[in-house]
């Protein structure tokens, strides 16, 4: 019951929809630096961990120690959002789901989709359950990443793994005619899902840019916790 309650209270449940997280090939969370891309992606991953699935988090920006801290903070924020929960139950659940999170830390020079593919193959060879989603945090979409995305599409097909990206846009850039940041516009045909995080007053507005018919929906988030602000 606790797992189900946490999943339903996730900001991802309202903005993307739990059933949509793995529906497609690529998803993107877009914002300027420091607005909350990684924190939101952690919430995406937590919904799968709470559903007893494995996730793979690939970071090009942070060491795994920092990423692990973000997951613990994201879980705590979700617990606190529900209200009072027996602390012992919360700890036991965390100890139960945390081992299903695996992570790799790269930088821009060492990032290698071939190595990621080899890592996923090692799951198969060992007879282990494959991760259901992969988070790639820090890929620079201001550069030409066509080849990288093509290689990741191959991994999506080979391992049936849905890939969610952080995508950084910039304050000085306007949006394209269809409302997409230029970074998404360049690769829009490759992405099934996209959420733009935009500061509005003292909140963060989450705008659904791509998700079938669910476009242009807007939700307010608490910038400290990334939880939905109930209107």
């Amino acid at each position: 019951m606790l797992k189900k309650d946490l999943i339903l209270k996730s900001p991802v449940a309202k903005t993307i929809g739990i059933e949509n997280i793995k529906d497609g090939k690529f998803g993107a969370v877009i914002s300027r630096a420091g607005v909350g891309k990684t924190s939101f992606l952690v919430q995406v991953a937590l919904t799968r961990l709470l559903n007893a699935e494995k996730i793979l988090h690939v970071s090009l920006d942070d060491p795994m120690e920092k990423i692990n801290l973000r997951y613990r903070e994201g879980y705590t924020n979700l617990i606190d959002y529900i209200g009072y929960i027996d602390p012992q139950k919360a700890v036991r659940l965390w100890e139960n789901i945390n081992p299903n999170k695996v992570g790799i830390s790269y930088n821009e020079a060492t990032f290698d989709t071939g190595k990621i593919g080899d890592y996923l193959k090692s799951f198969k060879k060992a007879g282990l359950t494959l991760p259901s989603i992969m988070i790639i945090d820090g890929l620079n979409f201001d550069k030409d990443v066509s080849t990288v995305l093509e290689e990741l599409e191959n991994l999506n097909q080979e391992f049936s793994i849905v890939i969610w990206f952080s995508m950084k846009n910039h304050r000085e850039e306007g949006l394209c005619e269809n409302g997409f940041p230029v970074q998404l516009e360049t690769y829009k045909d490759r992405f099934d899902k996209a959420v733009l995080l935009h500061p509005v007053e003292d909140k963060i507005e989450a705008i659904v840019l791509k998700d079938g018919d669910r476009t242009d929906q807007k939700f307010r988030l608490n910038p400290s916790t990334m939880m939905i602000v109930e209107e």
Side-chain angles (χ1 to χ4, degrees), residues 12-21 23-24 164 180 191-195 208-217:
V12 177
K14 283 284 187 76
T15 55
I16 300 169
I18 297 302
E19 70 283 357
N20 292 331
I21 294 171
D23 177 21
W164 278 85
F180 291 175
F191 282 80
D192 309 286
K193 318 287 179 188
V195 178
V208 180
L209 296 182
K210 289 201 77 175
D211 190 8
D213 294 331
R214 295 182 65 254
T215 56
D216 294 328
Q217 294 195 41

Side-chain angles (χ1 to χ4, degrees), residues 38-56:
T38 302
S39 295
F40 194 90
L41 285 170
V42 164
Q43 292 299 331
V44 170
L46 282 171
T47 65
R48 307 332 303 156
L49 292 173
L50 289 164
N51 200 45
E53 298 172 20
K54 288 185 177 179
I55 69 100
L56 173 59

Side-chain angles (χ1 to χ4, degrees), residues 193-211:
K193 318 287 179 188
V195 178
L196 175 67
L197 304 181
H198 177 67
V200 176
E201 298 174 348
D202 62 342
K203 302 294 189 298
I204 294 173
E205 192 169 65
I207 306 169
V208 180
L209 296 182
K210 289 201 77 175
D211 190 8

Side-chain angles (χ1 to χ4, degrees), residues 28-197:
V29 178
I30 310 157
S31 79
R32 303 197 305 257
V35 172
K37 293 183 297 297
T38 302
S39 295
F40 194 90
L41 285 170
V42 164
Q43 292 299 331
V44 170
L46 282 171
T47 65
R48 307 332 303 156
L49 292 173
L50 289 164
N51 200 45
E53 298 172 20
K54 288 185 177 179
I55 69 100
L56 173 59
H57 191 114
V58 178
S59 177
L60 283 75
D61 288 332
D62 297 318
M64 286 317 302
E65 293 81 4
K66 187 172 181 179
I67 293 299
N68 289 335
L69 179 61
R70 285 182 182 272
Y71 273 81
R72 188 58 193 259
E73 289 176 345
Y75 177 75
T76 299
N77 289 336
L78 202 49
I79 289 286
D80 291 344
Y81 187 61
I82 284 186
Y84 180 76
I85 293 174
D86 184 333
Q88 291 185 336
K89 286 185 178 179
V91 169
R92 284 198 299 270
L93 178 55
W94 174 251
E95 291 174 346
N96 177 253
I97 67 172
N98 189 44
N100 285 329
K101 169 181 60 64
V102 290
I104 309 174
S105 183
Y106 291 108
N107 58 42
E108 194 168 348
T110 60
F111 178 70
D112 187 334
T113 56
K115 290 180 181 178
I116 296 173
D118 290 341
Y119 187 61
L120 292 171
K121 287 175 184 175
S122 72
F123 278 81
K124 273 191 171 181
K125 289 178 181 177
L128 299 173
T129 302
L130 283 161
S132 63
I133 69 167
M134 173 164 48
I135 304 292
I136 297 186
D137 188 19
L139 188 65
N140 186 356
F141 282 87
D142 290 327
K143 295 185 176 181
D144 183 358
V145 293
S146 302
T147 300
V148 171
L149 293 180
E150 184 176 341
E151 292 167 351
L152 291 170
E153 283 179 336
N154 292 335
L155 295 184
N156 161 265
Q157 294 173 8
E158 182 175 357
F159 299 102
S160 299
I161 187 167
V162 179
I163 305 172
W164 278 85
F165 300 81
S166 66
M167 187 180 286
K168 184 168 70 174
N169 66 339
H170 307 285
R171 184 188 302 270
E172 66 277 8
E173 293 173 341
L175 298 177
C176 299
E177 287 186 9
N178 57 9
F180 291 175
V182 64
Q183 292 79 9
L184 176 62
E185 176 68 21
T186 304
Y187 303 105
K188 64 183 179 182
D189 293 338
R190 296 181 184 267
F191 282 80
D192 309 286
K193 318 287 179 188
V195 178
L196 175 67
L197 304 181

